[in-house]
Amino acid sequence: MTSFNYDYLIVGSGLFGAVFAHEATKAGKKCLVIDKRKHAGGNVYCKEMEGINVHWYGAHIFHTNDKEIWDYVNQFADFNRYTNSPVANYNGELYNLPFNMNTFYKLWGTKTPAEAKQKIAEQIVDLHITEPKNLEEQALKLVGTDIYEKLIKYYTEKQWGRKATELPAFIIKRLPVRFTYDNNYFNDKYQGIPVGGYNKIIEGLLEGIEIRLDTDFFANREELSLLADKIVFTGKIDEYYNYQFGELEYRSLKFEVETLEEENYQGNAVINYTDPETPYTRIIEHKHFEFGTQPKTVITKEYSLQASKGVEPYYPINDEKNTAIIKKYQDLAKTETNVIFGGRLAEYRYYDMHQVIGSALAKAKWSLKMLNFNGL
Ligand code: FAD
Ligand code: UDP
């Protein structure tokens, strides 16, 4: 029987890899974590600039309904009371998000839920949408034509680079529609930003675990695979299988970070640009995540683009074509006995952080049980 240096080789130090490594180490297993980036943490990584924790890969707001997951992350950092309340800018007109009584009042002057519901009903009565087949139909059914035109259509088409009629309905169902004056972007019971940024959580998870940065699994695949009994893979599943069933499509992002010589640039952490002309989708002003009072400020303009080889993938595109491709990779993945696929890229799922943590905890539990069962 071969004896390996490690029980697990964990490819990727994002939340999935870090939680998995933490749980396996806690259970007495030896882990090696590798990451092709020069830092750990994947997309939750924060870089300190001007005393501000800059969410380097876009705004990350932690939210969950699951008390266990909330307690889990709170082991590693305290969370502040930040509540996400983005504002949409449509050609200079400002609207509160998510879609709620404040949005409806600004648009139509409606003051009661009954008036707002009446307005939406009037707008969609002739559309006869019963079972929404795509994002456009789902959005129209939920909020009517005015909101669809001003706040959804162009933002969505910029974000995804395709028509709203070609996107799945579930994407827009992420956002609440409320007939109360409540600008909280999420419905979850628990929400906040880790005080001191997300790096604290990643450092806590990876404490005492060997990690090699700037190390791409595919640059040295055979040698790395021989190091461990099992592989936990959190990179692109199509790349893992040499694109044999074709390439999965992803949306990528470009982040333009600027330091500004002023204390408060936009008065909110997140402003979405929902018109078609503004080339970026949103501007993030990072200090507002932690109620910062630093003399300067740091903002990020976020642009959406098509991912291609060599460009970072961020969002899986769960349309029909890609769903058919991922199904083939998943069938192949099921036949593996020594490889566990997890996280946003390997599972090709539009996961939030709490979902990635939940998935990593479940997969680690199952894998550790199997290892112990096999007497290892
Ligand atoms: P990742 O964080 O992508 O980690 C994967 C890691 O694997 C990376 O570090 C990568 O470098 C490494 N890797 C990949 N391939 C290889 C290889 N071949 N060799 C070595 N290393 C490799 N979630 C929320 O809950 N709230 C939010 O507000 C929120 N906002 C978001 C905003 C943006 C712009 C994006 C893109 C995502 C957002 N998310 C949010 C989702 C959140 O980022 C993810 O759920 C989570 O970070 C995914 O963790 P992961 O470990 O699956 O993947
Ligand atoms: N969306 C929109 N207008 C907005 C914000 C979001 O139409 O001002 C749509 C868009 O299709 C987006 C989806 O809602 O992809 C989900 O939004 P969310 O803010 O959850 O996206 P993420 O933060 O994951 O990029």
Side-chain angles (χ1 to χ4, degrees), residues 308-322:
S308 50
K309 282 194 186 132
V311 174
E312 282 286 341
Y314 289 103
Y315 292 94
I317 301 176
N318 298 100
D319 63 4
E320 265 178 46
K321 178 180 157 206
N322 289 291

mmCIF file of all heavy atoms in Angstrom, residues 308-322:
data_model
loop_
_atom_site.group_PDB
_atom_site.id
_atom_site.type_symbol
_atom_site.label_atom_id
_atom_site.label_comp_id
_atom_site.label_asym_id
_atom_site.label_seq_id
_atom_site.Cartn_x
_atom_site.Cartn_y
_atom_site.Cartn_z
ATOM 1 N N SER A 308 -12.508 34.034 -20.523
ATOM 2 C CA SER A 308 -11.911 33.155 -21.527
ATOM 3 C C SER A 308 -10.655 32.591 -20.867
ATOM 4 O O SER A 308 -10.305 33.001 -19.763
ATOM 5 C CB SER A 308 -11.572 33.952 -22.780
ATOM 6 O OG SER A 308 -10.850 35.107 -22.409
ATOM 7 N N LYS A 309 -9.987 31.696 -21.546
ATOM 8 C CA LYS A 309 -8.792 31.092 -20.940
ATOM 9 C C LYS A 309 -7.813 32.192 -20.519
ATOM 10 O O LYS A 309 -7.569 33.123 -21.280
ATOM 11 C CB LYS A 309 -8.140 30.129 -21.908
ATOM 12 C CG LYS A 309 -8.892 28.816 -21.944
ATOM 13 C CD LYS A 309 -8.104 27.707 -22.640
ATOM 14 C CE LYS A 309 -8.980 26.479 -22.762
ATOM 15 N NZ LYS A 309 -9.003 25.886 -24.068
ATOM 16 N N GLY A 310 -7.298 32.111 -19.312
ATOM 17 C CA GLY A 310 -6.356 33.116 -18.842
ATOM 18 C C GLY A 310 -7.026 34.274 -18.115
ATOM 19 O O GLY A 310 -6.365 35.080 -17.493
ATOM 20 N N VAL A 311 -8.357 34.356 -18.194
ATOM 21 C CA VAL A 311 -9.085 35.404 -17.458
ATOM 22 C C VAL A 311 -9.814 34.710 -16.301
ATOM 23 O O VAL A 311 -10.352 33.628 -16.473
ATOM 24 C CB VAL A 311 -10.109 36.108 -18.391
ATOM 25 C CG1 VAL A 311 -10.965 37.095 -17.624
ATOM 26 C CG2 VAL A 311 -9.378 36.798 -19.523
ATOM 27 N N GLU A 312 -9.811 35.353 -15.116
ATOM 28 C CA GLU A 312 -10.431 34.725 -13.942
ATOM 29 C C GLU A 312 -11.930 34.482 -14.136
ATOM 30 O O GLU A 312 -12.664 35.410 -14.484
ATOM 31 C CB GLU A 312 -10.285 35.660 -12.728
ATOM 32 C CG GLU A 312 -8.922 35.641 -12.092
ATOM 33 C CD GLU A 312 -8.652 34.371 -11.287
ATOM 34 O OE1 GLU A 312 -9.613 33.665 -10.920
ATOM 35 O OE2 GLU A 312 -7.470 34.108 -11.041
ATOM 36 N N PRO A 313 -12.407 33.271 -13.896
ATOM 37 C CA PRO A 313 -13.854 33.038 -13.953
ATOM 38 C C PRO A 313 -14.488 33.418 -12.608
ATOM 39 O O PRO A 313 -13.888 33.175 -11.560
ATOM 40 C CB PRO A 313 -13.935 31.532 -14.162
ATOM 41 C CG PRO A 313 -12.684 30.991 -13.542
ATOM 42 C CD PRO A 313 -11.637 32.058 -13.585
ATOM 43 N N TYR A 314 -15.664 34.014 -12.607
ATOM 44 C CA TYR A 314 -16.331 34.345 -11.335
ATOM 45 C C TYR A 314 -17.725 33.741 -11.213
ATOM 46 O O TYR A 314 -18.043 33.100 -10.236
ATOM 47 C CB TYR A 314 -16.421 35.867 -11.145
ATOM 48 C CG TYR A 314 -15.073 36.490 -10.859
ATOM 49 C CD1 TYR A 314 -14.378 37.168 -11.847
ATOM 50 C CD2 TYR A 314 -14.492 36.382 -9.600
ATOM 51 C CE1 TYR A 314 -13.135 37.729 -11.595
ATOM 52 C CE2 TYR A 314 -13.257 36.931 -9.332
ATOM 53 C CZ TYR A 314 -12.577 37.602 -10.332
ATOM 54 O OH TYR A 314 -11.349 38.148 -10.082
ATOM 55 N N TYR A 315 -18.552 33.995 -12.238
ATOM 56 C CA TYR A 315 -19.941 33.537 -12.123
ATOM 57 C C TYR A 315 -20.226 32.406 -13.109
ATOM 58 O O TYR A 315 -20.066 32.578 -14.310
ATOM 59 C CB TYR A 315 -20.906 34.666 -12.480
ATOM 60 C CG TYR A 315 -20.948 35.810 -11.511
ATOM 61 C CD1 TYR A 315 -20.161 36.941 -11.713
ATOM 62 C CD2 TYR A 315 -21.798 35.782 -10.404
ATOM 63 C CE1 TYR A 315 -20.206 38.014 -10.835
ATOM 64 C CE2 TYR A 315 -21.848 36.855 -9.530
ATOM 65 C CZ TYR A 315 -21.053 37.967 -9.749
ATOM 66 O OH TYR A 315 -21.099 39.018 -8.887
ATOM 67 N N PRO A 316 -20.698 31.247 -12.613
ATOM 68 C CA PRO A 316 -21.168 30.224 -13.548
ATOM 69 C C PRO A 316 -22.415 30.732 -14.261
ATOM 70 O O PRO A 316 -23.201 31.494 -13.678
ATOM 71 C CB PRO A 316 -21.523 29.039 -12.638
ATOM 72 C CG PRO A 316 -21.663 29.595 -11.271
ATOM 73 C CD PRO A 316 -20.856 30.853 -11.211
ATOM 74 N N ILE A 317 -22.580 30.349 -15.515
ATOM 75 C CA ILE A 317 -23.770 30.780 -16.268
ATOM 76 C C ILE A 317 -24.689 29.577 -16.406
ATOM 77 O O ILE A 317 -24.469 28.707 -17.244
ATOM 78 C CB ILE A 317 -23.356 31.326 -17.662
ATOM 79 C CG1 ILE A 317 -22.386 32.505 -17.469
ATOM 80 C CG2 ILE A 317 -24.585 31.746 -18.469
ATOM 81 C CD1 ILE A 317 -21.826 33.086 -18.736
ATOM 82 N N ASN A 318 -25.695 29.539 -15.545
ATOM 83 C CA ASN A 318 -26.524 28.324 -15.492
ATOM 84 C C ASN A 318 -27.648 28.354 -16.532
ATOM 85 O O ASN A 318 -28.825 28.234 -16.191
ATOM 86 C CB ASN A 318 -27.086 28.138 -14.081
ATOM 87 C CG ASN A 318 -25.976 27.949 -13.046
ATOM 88 O OD1 ASN A 318 -25.610 28.881 -12.329
ATOM 89 N ND2 ASN A 318 -25.406 26.766 -12.980
ATOM 90 N N ASP A 319 -27.273 28.513 -17.801
ATOM 91 C CA ASP A 319 -28.300 28.435 -18.838
ATOM 92 C C ASP A 319 -28.359 26.992 -19.362
ATOM 93 O O ASP A 319 -27.638 26.110 -18.880
ATOM 94 C CB ASP A 319 -28.036 29.466 -19.961
ATOM 95 C CG ASP A 319 -26.716 29.195 -20.677
ATOM 96 O OD1 ASP A 319 -26.039 28.187 -20.378
ATOM 97 O OD2 ASP A 319 -26.356 29.996 -21.555
ATOM 98 N N GLU A 320 -29.213 26.767 -20.369
ATOM 99 C CA GLU A 320 -29.443 25.385 -20.831
ATOM 100 C C GLU A 320 -28.178 24.715 -21.361
ATOM 101 O O GLU A 320 -27.870 23.577 -21.022
ATOM 102 C CB GLU A 320 -30.476 25.396 -21.953
ATOM 103 C CG GLU A 320 -31.876 25.142 -21.455
ATOM 104 C CD GLU A 320 -32.887 25.216 -22.574
ATOM 105 O OE1 GLU A 320 -32.649 24.625 -23.642
ATOM 106 O OE2 GLU A 320 -33.915 25.889 -22.367
ATOM 107 N N LYS A 321 -27.450 25.475 -22.182
ATOM 108 C CA LYS A 321 -26.251 24.910 -22.818
ATOM 109 C C LYS A 321 -25.234 24.459 -21.765
ATOM 110 O O LYS A 321 -24.733 23.332 -21.801
ATOM 111 C CB LYS A 321 -25.644 25.992 -23.721
ATOM 112 C CG LYS A 321 -24.380 25.590 -24.407
ATOM 113 C CD LYS A 321 -23.862 26.736 -25.275
ATOM 114 C CE LYS A 321 -22.375 26.589 -25.500
ATOM 115 N NZ LYS A 321 -21.707 27.842 -25.776
ATOM 116 N N ASN A 322 -24.965 25.337 -20.803
ATOM 117 C CA ASN A 322 -23.966 25.008 -19.789
ATOM 118 C C ASN A 322 -24.465 23.958 -18.802
ATOM 119 O O ASN A 322 -23.682 23.175 -18.269
ATOM 120 C CB ASN A 322 -23.528 26.283 -19.061
ATOM 121 C CG ASN A 322 -22.694 27.167 -19.968
ATOM 122 O OD1 ASN A 322 -21.575 26.821 -20.314
ATOM 123 N ND2 ASN A 322 -23.259 28.288 -20.392
#
